[in-house]
Amino acid sequence: VICRSLANSSYGIKRKSPLQNLHLVSRSIHHPYHPSPKFQRPPLRISIQLFSSLNRLPLHKTKLLNVKYGYQFHRNFWLARLASRLLKLRYLILGSAVGGGYTAKKTYDQWKDMMPDLDEYKWIVPDFIWELDEHIDFEKLIKALPDADDLARLLPDFDKIGESFTSLKGFFSPGSPGETALRATDQGYDSDKQYKKGLLGELILLQQQIQQHEEEARRAAGQYNMGSSQQKRKVSDKEKIDQLQEELLRTQLKYQRMLERLEKENKELRKLVLQRDDKGIHQRKLKKSLIDMYSEVLDILSDYDASYNTQDHLPRVVVVGDQSAGKTSVLEMIAQARIFPRGSGEMMTRSPVKVTLSEGPHHVALFKDSSREFDLTKEEDLAALRNEIEIRMRNSVKEGCTVSTETISLSVKGPGLQRMVLVDLPGVISTVTSGMAPDTKETIFSISKAYMQNPNAIILCIQDGSVDAERSIVTDLVSQMDPQGKRTIFVLTKVDLAEKNVASPSRIQQIIEGKLFPMKALGYFAVVTGKGNSSESIESIKEYEEEFFQNSKLLKTCMLKAHQVTTKNLSLAVSDCFWKMVRESVEQQADAFKATRFNLETEWKNNYPRLRELDRNELFEKAKNEILDEVISLTQVTPKHWEEILQKTLWERVSTHVIENIYLPAAQTMNSGTFNTTVDIKLKQWTDKQLPNKAVEVAWETLQEEFSRFMTEQKGKEHDDIFDKLKQAVKEETIKRHKWNERAEDSLRVIQHNALEDRSISDKQQWDAAIHFMEETLQSRLKDTESVIEDMVGPDWLKRWLYWIGRTKEQNIRNETKNELEKLIKCNEEHAAYLANDEVTTVRKNLEARGVTVDPCLIKDTWHQIYRRYFLKTALNHCNLCRRGFYYYQRHFVDSELECNDIVLFWRIQRMLAITANTLRQQLTNTEVRRLEKNVKEVLEDFAEDNEKKVKLLTGKRVQLAEDLSK
């Protein structure tokens, strides 16, 4: 703008220069002393140019217009005018620079505000990018790059390219050969952009040729059928049709061979890849294939308890057909192995067999519930597999039946197998023969209908081509289940026999075209499954099938199309149809299960809002952990607690024997020597025979009680009563299995015998403890005796007066007898423990004199309790006297009338109890608790493998709802 204003001024200019036609650079540097019309644009120098490799390239040279300059300068004050103009120019430049700088800064600030803050995203760019300038010298890198002249020489010669385009334009001019070739290329490119070189391209060309031949054959046949008046023309048309059919057949066979060759190469390559994966070359774990997972889903759904009316509508390929129609042979051809039992005219398929076909590196088969793999390339494994299938079929058939509804699940893997799930059903029969159950026909029909009524099941209808079509039963059954034929594939077997036996080959054509049977189908196929020899291999059957169809008149006369024959084409078609239906139905089935799950989750949230969804197995694991924790808690019981319980329980068990059989008989003696002798003999007998066994029983019962206490006690709010039945069953089974160590009694006997042999009381504290122990024991016995006497004689006068109760007649008799016997004891305080006969007679006569008739046995029975009370009271008084007898005991009661041998006896018993409790506690904590824990683990492991027991022990609405949610 500044230059234009300067150039347009009229001062000192004769005429205007055409500066508007000049280059921008030319306008800014125009000067009369530079007459040269050529100028170079100075290279731009900006910061980013330092990182550019093209900063040394020469810019385009600008050709400027030839301008004649004619300036005439005024003669008056030209220096002053020039100076003023230059000053004016300076101010203009300065003002423009300031204004332009301010505007640029304002625009820059606006753009800067509009740009997002990228500091937060610096983590996206690796750190080493920001540090490149520290490690790389860009100046050296720029200097190392070639010069602009060298790069210019590398650019193409655009003059030669222009000449080439000129020649090409002439080559593709209208009517030239290049135009024809280009049009043909464009048409081929537009028709299919994915043509490839090699075998695949040849296949596509062959397919196009087949379509063209078919169209020409149909066109010629139409012209031939329209008729013509000229006989010669009709003959020539017929010859043309025959020629086209032969050419079509040759092209189809060539296409089929090339396709098989391509599939064989692909099969070998896939087998190689799978073998490499199988050997672990890629060091990765192979995942389950899609078909294996789909088959597992079908197995789970078949076992699903439809408590909520959820039905399985996922696709399967159901193979149905008349008996001996060859459906098992068709399935074997698809599986590429002779895996099924065979028989001549006999029913061999007695139960549904689900076969899951999948691809794998090795051709093997295995059952769902077994880990054994059968190598299908070995004849002995094939024979074993057929035998196993036959055994499973016969075992599944119930007594009195011919067929079974139980499904046998079998997986077959191998290279090149089409992935699908097929179910082979028993063959449909028309008549029940001898040896069959009367309902065999109806059972087979019901099994077939149950599988075919699934709206997504693909029905593979097998028809025997060697028999009359009117004798078929299965076609009517299939047409009933699928009247529209939207999921039915019809297969005609034994076509080789049909071609020989059928008088009119067009009948086979009518069957394959679906015109003979009333049923409809998605597709129709003709196959040959061998010559009827059960020892034929799959390879020989394939060769025979290919050879037959290559020479068959059915193909040569176009009654059958090439894609409708061979088991290979059938397998491909079934697999495509199967996966198509899987894609269409699996989403719908998943939505149905989602809806069911939503209903179950809603029910769970309403009933158990604070509980987690745990199925039966998860609940069992939780209960298992709780039980093991409770068993471990046994080891945390203190030794003091064990010994107190053991000592108390053991004395409760043996106290009666000690008092009745040891102490009371010994106390009846007259001197201390006899007392001690009697005590030692009876203690020795007791220790040898009863005491160790009784002690082990007490220890085992104590361990059971503690174990039961830990198992059954509630843990506050965390207690879950759903585990109570399981814990009780585990406890009972563990106790049943646990056996105490057999050698424990022998070691315990020695310890107890040594403890009872000791009579030395070391201090007064032990003496007082023995007296206290004896007093507690005697008082307990006295209390029991008083209770027995009260029951015998009835309530005393105070209770009769307070509670208004009276005595019975027998109680009155016993009360009179008691009073008489008490008089007898008062008369003789040193009376023996037993009444003599004359004393019994005296008591009876005294009672009769008062009008009380009494039996002698009643007198003796009453005497036993009265004397027992008297003896216990006397023994308690003796205990009080012996409190000061420790001094006499230390002197062995020499020169003393006081004898306290009974205190020594009770000290020996007390010490034996303490030592026995300590010994049993050591056995418990060191051995038996660990053995019990081991038994508990074994019981839990057995229960975990027994599903029936888990169902029985973990029950309730909560468990069932969680089970349904888990499924």
Side-chain angles (χ1 to χ4, degrees), residues 567-812:
T567 315
K568 182 67 176 179
N569 291 335
L570 170 64
S571 177
L572 292 171
V574 174
S575 179
D576 291 341
C577 184
F578 171 76
W579 285 110
K580 180 181 178 182
M581 297 194 73
V582 168
R583 284 192 295 270
E584 293 175 352
S585 61
V586 72
E587 290 289 342
Q588 180 181 0
Q589 187 68 43
D591 291 341
F593 281 114
K594 286 178 183 177
T596 304
R597 179 171 179 80
F598 175 78
N599 296 337
L600 295 174
E601 287 177 344
T602 304
E603 185 176 357
W604 180 276
K605 291 177 181 177
N606 292 332
N607 293 320
Y608 313 103
R610 298 184 180 180
L611 295 177
R612 193 159 54 95
E613 301 168 7
L614 299 177
D615 60 10
R616 186 171 281 111
N617 292 328
E618 293 171 336
L619 285 172
F620 182 82
E621 289 299 322
K622 182 179 178 181
K624 177 180 177 182
N625 294 331
E626 286 189 9
I627 293 172
L628 293 177
D629 291 341
E630 291 163 358
V631 175
I632 293 176
S633 299
L634 282 174
T635 60
Q636 307 301 321
V637 178
T638 61
K640 181 180 179 181
H641 180 74
W642 279 121
E643 292 182 10
E644 288 177 355
I645 295 176
L646 289 169
Q647 187 170 351
K648 179 181 178 182
T649 308
L650 181 60
W651 175 239
E652 290 175 355
R653 292 292 180 88
V654 301
S655 60
T656 302
H657 181 83
V658 171
I659 299 298
E660 302 295 336
N661 298 332
I662 298 176
Y663 174 62
L664 289 178
Q668 303 301 320
T669 58
M670 300 303 296
N671 54 57
S672 60
T674 308
F675 178 87
N676 291 331
T677 303
T678 305
V679 166
D680 290 343
I681 293 173
K682 290 186 176 297
L683 287 177
K684 182 68 169 59
Q685 294 175 350
W686 182 46
T687 306
D688 290 339
K689 297 180 181 179
Q690 300 178 10
L691 183 58
N693 184 25
K694 187 68 69 174
V696 170
E697 288 181 1
V698 168
W700 176 217
E701 292 177 3
T702 303
L703 179 59
Q704 292 181 36
E705 291 175 359
E706 289 296 307
F707 178 52
S708 301
R709 181 173 66 85
F710 280 108
M711 292 281 287
T712 56
E713 70 178 358
Q714 297 185 2
K715 305 296 188 299
K717 295 181 179 180
E718 297 180 358
H719 177 73
D720 197 345
D721 56 358
I722 201 170
F723 299 143
D724 291 346
K725 292 176 65 176
L726 176 61
K727 289 182 178 181
Q728 183 67 21
V730 171
K731 184 191 73 173
E732 294 176 357
E733 185 65 24
T734 302
I735 292 173
K736 188 186 300 183
R737 295 186 184 185
H738 186 78
K739 301 295 181 183
W740 201 273
N741 190 0
E742 296 178 354
R743 293 178 295 179
E745 289 188 14
D746 298 334
S747 60
L748 194 60
R749 182 178 293 108
V750 175
I751 293 172
Q752 290 172 342
H753 182 73
N754 293 332
L756 291 172
E757 285 290 325
D758 189 8
R759 295 184 179 87
S760 59
I761 304 176
S762 59
D763 54 15
K764 182 70 166 56
Q765 184 178 2
Q766 294 183 8
W767 180 268
D768 293 338
I771 292 175
H772 180 69
F773 175 59
M774 180 177 176
E775 285 180 343
E776 283 186 348
T777 305
L778 295 180
Q779 286 176 357
S780 174
R781 295 290 167 177
L782 179 60
K783 185 178 180 180
D784 294 340
T785 305
E786 293 282 0
S787 177
V788 172
I789 293 174
E790 184 178 357
D791 292 337
M792 291 173 59
V793 300
D796 56 4
W797 66 271
L798 182 62
K799 288 184 180 180
R800 292 198 305 270
W801 185 81
L802 290 176
Y803 301 108
W804 290 80
I805 55 176
R807 293 172 176 170
T808 62
K809 183 178 179 180
E810 183 180 358
Q811 288 177 343
N812 287 323

Side-chain angles (χ1 to χ4, degrees), residues 884-945:
R884 56 185 177 83
F886 181 68
Y887 171 75
Y888 299 104
Y889 164 75
Q890 289 179 328
R891 298 180 59 187
H892 304 288
F893 300 105
V894 177
D895 299 333
S896 173
E897 297 180 356
L898 182 64
E899 293 183 356
C900 299
N901 293 312
D902 49 357
I903 304 297
V904 177
L905 170 63
F906 276 92
W907 178 84
R908 293 165 68 184
I909 297 295
Q910 187 183 31
R911 186 168 181 272
M912 182 274 299
L913 292 174
I915 293 175
T916 302
N918 180 269
T919 305
L920 293 174
R921 190 265 306 167
Q922 293 181 21
Q923 292 181 2
L924 280 171
T925 56
N926 296 338
T927 306
E928 300 303 327
V929 171
R930 295 180 181 178
R931 292 178 63 237
L932 182 70
E933 182 181 356
K934 182 180 178 181
N935 290 336
V936 170
K937 290 180 179 179
E938 292 177 355
V939 171
L940 289 172
E941 290 176 358
D942 294 342
F943 283 9
E945 298 176 357

Side-chain angles (χ1 to χ4, degrees), residues 16 47 137 247 346 424 477 528 603 667 677 721 725 755 830:
K16 296 181 180 180
S47 59
D137 191 350
E247 188 175 356
E346 180 185 357
D424 186 21
L477 180 61
V528 175
E603 185 176 357
T677 303
D721 56 358
K725 292 176 65 176
E830 297 181 357

Side-chain angles (χ1 to χ4, degrees), residues 460-523:
L460 198 62
C461 180
I462 310 298
Q463 171 64 39
D464 190 350
S466 63
V467 299
D468 295 335
E470 290 77 11
R471 295 169 55 187
S472 174
I473 307 172
V474 70
T475 52
D476 295 335
L477 180 61
V478 172
S479 61
Q480 292 176 9
M481 305 307 297
D482 184 24
Q484 301 298 325
K486 294 182 179 180
R487 51 190 180 90
T488 302
I489 296 177
F490 181 84
V491 182
L492 186 66
T493 61
K494 305 178 184 179
V495 182
D496 52 343
L497 300 179
E499 188 179 27
K500 295 178 183 178
N501 300 334
V502 177
S504 175
S506 60
R507 189 174 178 84
I508 298 177
Q509 182 181 7
Q510 291 178 354
I511 295 175
I512 295 301
E513 292 178 354
K515 298 178 180 179
L516 188 63
F517 292 110
M519 62 171 287
K520 299 178 182 179
L522 287 171

Side-chain angles (χ1 to χ4, degrees), residues 368-428:
K368 171 189 172 183
D369 55 353
S370 175
S371 59
R372 178 186 176 184
E373 285 190 352
F374 297 88
D375 190 351
L376 302 183
T377 59
K378 298 180 180 179
E379 187 58 38
E380 56 269 19
D381 280 20
L382 280 171
L385 177 61
R386 290 193 290 265
N387 185 45
E388 180 69 19
I389 292 176
E390 186 174 1
I391 292 174
R392 287 173 179 256
M393 284 184 180
R394 295 189 181 276
N395 291 338
S396 65
V397 177
K398 298 179 181 178
E399 187 177 357
C401 300
T402 307
V403 293
S404 171
T405 58
E406 296 181 10
T407 303
I408 299 174
S409 295
L410 178 68
S411 296
V412 178
K413 299 181 179 181
L417 293 182
Q418 298 298 321
R419 299 179 176 92
M420 66 183 94
V421 178
L422 303 100
V423 182
D424 186 21
L425 300 180
V428 179

Side-chain angles (χ1 to χ4, degrees), residues 12-19 22 26-27 29-39 64-72:
I13 299 177
K14 184 178 181 180
R15 66 180 181 88
K16 296 181 180 180
S17 286
L19 288 178
L22 295 179
S26 301
R27 302 176 195 172
I29 62 174
H30 179 259
H31 196 273
Y33 292 100
H34 294 81
S36 175
K38 297 183 179 180
F39 300 94
L64 301 178
L65 298 175
N66 295 324
V67 182
K68 294 180 180 181
Y69 307 97
Y71 286 93
Q72 288 185 353

